[in-house]
C-alpha cells in the first residue's frame, strides 16, 4: 500500500496522555579545545508510562548524553544549553539541584550506566553497597533491599550468596553488569534508564537478562528507556523507538511498525547492517563511512546527508521536513515514501 506523507509540526510521534517524561527541545553542548559543539540537537521525545522506549543509534550519536540529561547529570565540559525535561508529578529535572535532585535520582528515575560493570565501588562488597544504598535512600531496614537483590539475582541466574559476599573484582564482567541492573531495580524507580545493559553479556546471559527485564517491566509496569546500538534488542524488547543520528532524532514511532516500514535512509541502513544468523549472511550490508564527530556535524541541512545513498542537493541546506506516515510514525527527510522530494 502506498502511504501518503503528511508534514509534521515538530511534535513527537508518541502522543499519549499517560506520559512519564517529556523531553522538549533539549540541546546539550560539549566544550572542546576548538569550540563548543552540540551532541544533542533540539531533541524532543515522549516517554510513555509503563512501556519500553528504545533509543538507538551508532556510537557517538548522543544516546548516553541524552540519558545523562534525563538525570540532570551532564557535567563539565558539557552543559544543557536549552530545553526542558519534565517528569510527571515532579516537574523539570533540569531545574532541580542539591538534595532534591539526589533524592529524585535512583528512586524516581534510575540509570544503569554504560560500562556499569566497572562502576561499582571497588572497596566494598556488593552486600555493603546495598546497605549503603538503603541508608542513603532512607530505608529503616536494609533487609528489604537485600531480599529483593537476592530474588533478582536468582532470576538472573546468579548465586545470591556469592554475589553479596563479593568485591567487584571477584565477579566477571557479565556478573557485574547484572549486579548493576539489580542495584538499580531494588530501589524500585518509576522510570529506569538502561544504557547498553547487555553489551558485556554472552548470548545466553543476554537472553536471560532481556527476559527478566521484560518480566519486571510488566510486573511493575516500569517505564523503561533502553539505550542500545543493537537493533535485535530493540526488536525484542521495546514498544516504541527513537532512532538517533548525530544528536538528532531522525525517525520515531511504534517499534513493530517502524521496523516493518522503516522510512529514513539511516534506519533502513541500520536494519540492513544486521548480520543474519540464518539465511544468507552476505545479505548484511555494512553502513559505509563513519558517524560524524560533534565538531564536524553540519549545522544546516540533514545530519545524515554526507552518508546517504539518496542524497539530493537540497539535503545539504535549510531545515529537513518532518514527515508523518499513515501508520503514525515520523521521520526527518526530504524524500517521501515514493522517493520524491
Ligand atoms: N565528556 C565529554 N567531553 C567531550 N565530548 C563528549 C563527552 N561525552 C560525549 N562527548 C561527545 O558527544 C558525542 C555523543 O557522545 P555519547 O557518549 O552521548 O554517544 P553514544 O551514542 O552514547 O555513543 P556510544 O554508542 O559509543 O556509547 C560524541 O561525539 C562524543 O565524542
Ligand atoms: Mg553511550
Amino acid at each position: 500500500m502506498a502511504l501518503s506523507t503528511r508534514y509534521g509540526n515538530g511534535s513527537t510521534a508518541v502522543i499519549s496522555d499517560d506520559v512519564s517524561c517529556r523531553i522538549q527541545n533539549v540541546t546539550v553542548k560539549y566544550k572542546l579545545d576548538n569550540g563548543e559543539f552540540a551532541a544533542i540537537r533540539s531533541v524532543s521525545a515522549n516517554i510513555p508510562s509503563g512501556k519500553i522506549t528504545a533509543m538507538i543509534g551508532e556510537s557517538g550519536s548522543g544516546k548516553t548524553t541524552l540519558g545523562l540529561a534525563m538525570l540532570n547529570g551532564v557535567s563539565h565540559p558539557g552543559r544543557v544549553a536549552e530545553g526542558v525535561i519534565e517528569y510527571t508529578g515532579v516537574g523539570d529535572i533540569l531545574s532541580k539541584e542539591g538534595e532534591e535532585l539526589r533524592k529524585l535520582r535512583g528512586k524516581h528515575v534510575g540509570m544503569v550506566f554504560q560500562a556499569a560493570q566497572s562502576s561499582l565501588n571497588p572497596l566494598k562488597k556488593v552486600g555493603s553497597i546495598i546497605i549503603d544504598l538503603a541508608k542513603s535512600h532512607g530505608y529503616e531496614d536494609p533487609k528489604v533491599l537485600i531480599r529483593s537483590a537476592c530474588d533478582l539475582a536468582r532470576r538472573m541466574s546468579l548465586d545470591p550468596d556469592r554475589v553479596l559476599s563479593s568485591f567487584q573484582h571477584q565477579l566477571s564482567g557479565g556478573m557485574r553488569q547484572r549486579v548493576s541492573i539489580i542495584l538499580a531495580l531494588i530501589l524500585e524507580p518509576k522510570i529506569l534508564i538502561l544504557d547498553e545493559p547487555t553489551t558485556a553479556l554472552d548470548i545466553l546471559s543476554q537472553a536471560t537478562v532481556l527476559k527478566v527485564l521484560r518480566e519486571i517491566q510488566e510486573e511493575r509496569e516500569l517505564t523503561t528507556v533502553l539505550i542500545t546500538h543493537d537493533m535485535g534488542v530493540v526488536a525484542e524488547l521495546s514498544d516504541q523507538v527513537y532512532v538517533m543520528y548525530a544528536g538528532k532524532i531522525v525517525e520515531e514511532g511504534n517499534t513493530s511498525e517502524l521496523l516493518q516500514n522503516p522510512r529514513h535512509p539511516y534506519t533502513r541502513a541500520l536494519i540492513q547492517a544486521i548480520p543474519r544468523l540464518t539465511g544468507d549472511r552476505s545479505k548484511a550490508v555494512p553502513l559505509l563511512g563513519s558517524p560524524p564527530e560533534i565538531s564536524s556535524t553540519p549545522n544546516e541541512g540533514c545530519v545524515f546527508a554526507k552518508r546517504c545513498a539518496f542524497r539530493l542537493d537540497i539535503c545539504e541546506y535549510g531545515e529537513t521536513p518532518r514527515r508523518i506516515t499513515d501508520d503514525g510514525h515520523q521521520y526527518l527527510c526530504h524524500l517521501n515514501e515514493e522517493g520524491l522530494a
Side-chain angles (χ1 to χ4, degrees):
M1 183 184 65
L3 297 169
S4 65
T5 311
R6 308 189 300 278
Y7 284 103
N9 59 4
S11 62
T12 80
V14 181
I15 299 160
S16 155
D17 290 338
D18 201 8
V19 167
S20 287
C21 176
R22 286 178 206 278
I23 300 169
Q24 292 161 39
N25 292 319
V26 170
T27 295
V28 179
K29 295 183 173 179
Y30 288 107
K31 208 168 238 160
L32 307 181
D33 290 344
N34 51 343
E36 197 181 38
F37 302 98
I40 296 288
R41 299 157 170 260
S42 209
V43 159
S44 294
N46 287 337
I47 311 298
S49 302
K51 298 266 195 300
I52 300 184
T53 299
M55 304 274 175
I56 186 165
E58 282 167 293
S59 183
S61 54
K63 307 177 299 291
T64 296
T65 301
L66 186 60
L68 286 172
M70 290 181 70
L71 283 184
N72 192 5
V74 175
S75 58
H76 184 79
R79 71 181 175 100
V80 179
E82 62 169 350
V84 171
I85 299 183
E86 191 176 5
Y87 287 94
T88 303
V90 169
D92 181 11
I93 195 165
L94 299 176
S95 66
K96 313 276 181 202
E97 54 186 16
E99 189 58 12
E100 193 183 9
L101 180 60
R102 196 188 66 77
K103 282 202 172 133
L104 277 177
R105 290 179 182 160
K107 195 70 190 151
H108 191 84
V109 49
M111 181 158 174
V112 177
F113 290 94
Q114 187 167 15
Q117 62 269 29
S118 55
S119 68
L120 301 172
N121 184 337
L123 304 175
K124 294 204 165 180
K125 291 182 177 175
V126 173
S128 308
I129 294 176
I130 295 175
I131 290 168
D132 288 352
L133 210 55
K135 274 188 209 143
S136 70
H137 283 276
Y139 284 80
E140 277 181 18
D141 185 359
K143 283 203 201 85
V144 180
L145 293 195
I146 297 278
R147 267 197 298 273
S148 167
C150 290
D151 174 46
L152 287 164
R154 268 183 228 104
R155 290 175 74 170
M156 293 203 195
S157 309
L158 294 173
D159 173 353
D161 295 333
R162 156 95 207 279
V163 167
L164 261 60
S165 59
S166 295
F167 292 98
Q168 78 156 33
H169 67 268
Q170 294 170 320
L171 301 169
S172 72
M175 289 164 117
R176 290 200 289 267
Q177 194 163 30
R178 276 173 282 177
V179 168
S180 304
I181 296 172
I182 290 170
L183 294 183
L185 283 172
I186 54 176
L187 287 175
E188 302 196 353
K190 292 193 171 60
I191 299 153
L192 181 63
I193 304 168
L194 297 159
D195 192 354
E196 304 282 3
T198 56
T199 38
L201 301 176
D202 62 79
I203 196 93
L204 290 178
S205 306
Q206 173 167 330
T208 306
V209 169
L210 292 180
K211 179 171 161 283
V212 174
L213 284 173
R214 173 51 100 179
E215 284 169 5
I216 289 172
Q217 186 269 331
E218 282 172 3
E219 283 163 25
R220 299 186 185 173
E221 297 187 346
L222 181 66
T223 304
T224 308
V225 177
L226 176 69
I227 293 173
T228 180
H229 61 270
D230 186 336
M231 219 19 135
V233 173
V234 170
E236 193 170 325
L237 216 59
S238 71
D239 301 296
Q240 67 162 46
V241 55
Y242 288 92
V243 181
M244 292 186 70
Y245 187 83
K248 266 210 167 313
I249 288 169
V250 295
E251 186 156 10
E252 60 187 272
N254 173 287
T255 302
S256 56
E257 279 158 10
L258 192 143
L259 290 181
Q260 269 169 32
N261 229 337
R263 290 295 167 201
H264 196 283
Y266 178 59
T267 315
R268 291 182 188 190
L270 276 183
I271 292 171
Q272 280 172 357
I274 302 174
R276 281 155 182 80
L277 283 180
T278 52
D280 188 353
R281 291 178 77 189
S282 64
K283 282 196 177 139
V285 186
L287 179 52
L288 296 178
S290 42
E293 287 294 319
I294 49 175
S295 55
S296 59
T297 303
N299 284 322
E300 205 192 342
C302 171
V303 281
F304 187 59
K306 287 250 168 333
R307 292 169 83 190
C308 183
F310 307 96
R311 183 182 62 240
L312 304 167
D313 285 347
I314 46 167
C315 299
E316 313 251 357
Y317 307 101
E319 207 169 317
T320 314
R322 174 181 289 267
R323 297 176 180 277
I324 306 174
T325 64
D326 279 356
D327 66 13
H329 79 263
Q330 302 190 8
Y331 65 105
L332 291 180
C333 192
H334 280 283
L335 299 181
N336 66 18
E337 287 84 30
E338 283 84 33
L340 302 171

